[in-house]
Amino acid sequence: MTINLITSLQEAFGLSEAKVLHLIARSPYSYKIYTIPKKSGGERVIAQPAKETKYIQHWLIENVFSRLPIHQCASAYRTGASIKLNAAAHRKNKYLSKFDFKNFFVSIREGDLINHFIRHLGADFSVVDLARIARLSCIRSKDTKRLTLSIGAPSSPILSNSIMFAFDEKVYQWCKERSITYTRYADDLAFSTNVKDICSDIEPMIIDVIKSLVYPSLLINRDKTIHLSKKTQRRVTGVVINNENELSIGRDRKRAISALIHRYSFGALSKDEVHSLQGMLGFARDIEPQFVFSMRKKYTSKLIDEILQMRK
């Protein structure tokens, strides 16, 4: 028995049929767009839907998108996943290759979502309702006029994870046959191995897999392709793997944290700087707790606790 989307949304939100249909029609136009600076320079465009669309997207995440498949190699946006676990998967391998997709979220279009929903949710919803669900998940680009996922919508992470299922499975099987570890954290792909000279085969494989997909259409950002070994610093999603195969936050970040704590002890940090320091300490506590212990010895536990417990 198929589920009626309109009836379900009416019951969930106490809305009339006309209001639900209006929200579906208007949802791609209901986004607030702003930019934030990237760490690497430039700006990242964030697009958040209006609160009505946001509520519906949260409902869809819980009641619909939770039925979609997500591959075991996907290391972001899922219960139990973390940057730490993503990096830890690669820590025992000597050679590391990293790749990135261009404009990952906006590469995923309304038609891609509809095809994915038909494949995995076709037994639960009509094709008309699946098209409505796809529309509710997209923003209309002012530049291209296309409906795509956006960075900032609550539903984009789970949808981007699931729509990569076929890609992840093909890449995983290829890597498994060659003793290569593969993980994907959003649009960051990491491959590691102890087999020398095999990393040169990875990029051609990724291109072949992309070409074989029915959806979505993806492009590698070659500016971010990196090949590393133990001779250089291996870093996966911001986590350093040192030569002892242990996870670390890295020397530069340690120096920065220590300097900020020192400045804080003299009352020389702004509120924004304190909040940034809180985040850095929280990250360090998760990745390399021994470093935080050393900061407690250097600056006292009282001071570190004071920083961590400050309200934002």
Side-chain angles (χ1 to χ4, degrees):
M1 181 177 176
T2 59
I3 301 166
N4 186 294
L5 177 69
I6 305 302
T7 302
S8 297
L9 291 176
Q10 283 183 259
E11 293 174 354
F13 297 101
L15 300 172
S16 67
E17 180 180 351
K19 181 62 175 177
V20 171
L21 290 171
H22 175 74
L23 286 173
I24 293 171
R26 290 297 305 163
S27 60
Y29 302 88
S30 66
Y31 284 69
K32 178 183 178 182
I33 300 172
Y34 58 96
T35 60
I36 59 173
K38 290 183 180 180
K39 290 182 179 179
S40 57
E43 293 183 328
R44 187 183 306 279
V45 177
I46 306 295
Q48 290 192 347
K51 63 180 180 180
E52 295 89 351
T53 301
K54 193 178 291 186
Y55 292 150
I56 293 175
Q57 288 185 3
H58 280 296
W59 183 90
L60 289 170
I61 291 168
E62 184 175 345
N63 295 280
V64 179
F65 300 153
S66 57
R67 305 163 186 242
L68 293 170
I70 296 175
H71 200 272
Q72 64 187 16
C73 293
S75 300
Y77 314 135
R78 57 185 299 180
T79 302
S82 69
I83 286 174
K84 181 179 182 179
L85 290 176
N86 184 59
H90 302 278
R91 68 184 184 88
K92 293 183 179 179
N93 294 333
K94 295 178 183 177
Y95 307 103
L96 174 68
S97 293
K98 300 191 295 182
F99 303 86
D100 188 277
F101 290 125
K102 278 187 178 179
N103 303 318
F104 178 55
F105 280 91
V106 299
S107 295
I108 300 169
R109 303 177 184 176
E110 179 189 35
D112 300 329
L113 294 175
I114 293 172
N115 284 332
H116 192 62
F117 295 160
I118 290 171
R119 177 176 293 183
H120 297 287
L121 299 174
D124 299 323
F125 295 90
S126 70
V127 174
V128 171
D129 276 351
L130 293 177
R132 287 167 172 160
I133 293 169
R135 185 177 182 85
L136 282 163
S137 308
C138 291
I139 184 175
R140 183 177 186 270
S141 168
K142 290 183 179 180
D143 297 328
T144 65
K145 312 304 180 187
R146 297 184 181 123
L147 299 188
T148 70
L149 294 188
S150 70
I151 299 173
S155 55
S156 289
I158 189 172
L159 290 176
S160 67
N161 244 5
S162 183
I163 209 164
M164 293 296 290
F165 183 82
F167 174 90
D168 288 335
E169 177 60 17
K170 289 183 178 184
V171 172
Y172 168 74
Q173 291 298 336
W174 185 90
C175 290
K176 184 179 179 182
E177 293 168 5
R178 293 160 178 80
S179 300
I180 298 172
T181 299
Y182 162 64
T183 62
R184 180 181 58 79
Y185 197 93
D187 58 348
D188 292 324
L189 315 181
F191 300 82
S192 64
T193 181
N194 285 317
V195 181
K196 194 174 182 180
D197 299 328
I198 200 171
C199 290
S200 60
D201 297 334
I202 295 173
E203 185 170 343
M205 176 273 296
I206 295 173
I207 293 171
D208 286 344
V209 171
I210 288 172
K211 289 178 179 178
S212 74
L213 297 175
V214 177
Y215 61 84
S217 297
L218 301 166
L219 288 174
I220 295 175
N221 185 352
R222 286 193 167 86
D223 291 340
K224 293 189 176 181
T225 298
I226 300 172
H227 299 283
L228 303 167
S229 71
K230 275 196 169 185
K231 295 178 181 178
T232 54
Q233 188 182 79
R234 292 169 295 160
R235 187 185 293 268
V236 181
T237 48
V239 179
V240 173
I241 304 173
N242 63 27
N243 286 336
E244 288 72 44
N245 295 332
E246 297 170 338
L247 302 185
S248 171
I249 63 172
R251 284 178 292 183
D252 291 343
R253 190 169 280 162
K254 289 177 183 178
R255 291 192 192 102
I257 291 173
S258 185
L260 286 170
I261 295 172
H262 180 73
R263 288 179 57 205
Y264 175 85
S265 68
F266 288 98
L269 291 189
S270 66
K271 279 189 176 181
D272 286 345
E273 287 174 321
V274 173
H275 297 158
S276 177
L277 176 55
Q278 282 180 322
M280 293 168 76
L281 277 171
F283 179 70
R285 188 168 52 183
D286 182 39
I287 303 299
E288 196 173 357
Q290 186 61 34
F291 169 72
V292 178
F293 178 73
S294 71
M295 292 296 97
R296 289 182 179 277
K297 289 181 67 176
K298 184 175 182 179
Y299 294 106
T300 76
S301 286
K302 181 180 178 182
L303 186 70
I304 301 302
D305 288 337
E306 183 180 305
I307 294 169
L308 290 170
Q309 292 167 12
M310 278 194 68
R311 293 185 179 181
K312 294 185 178 182

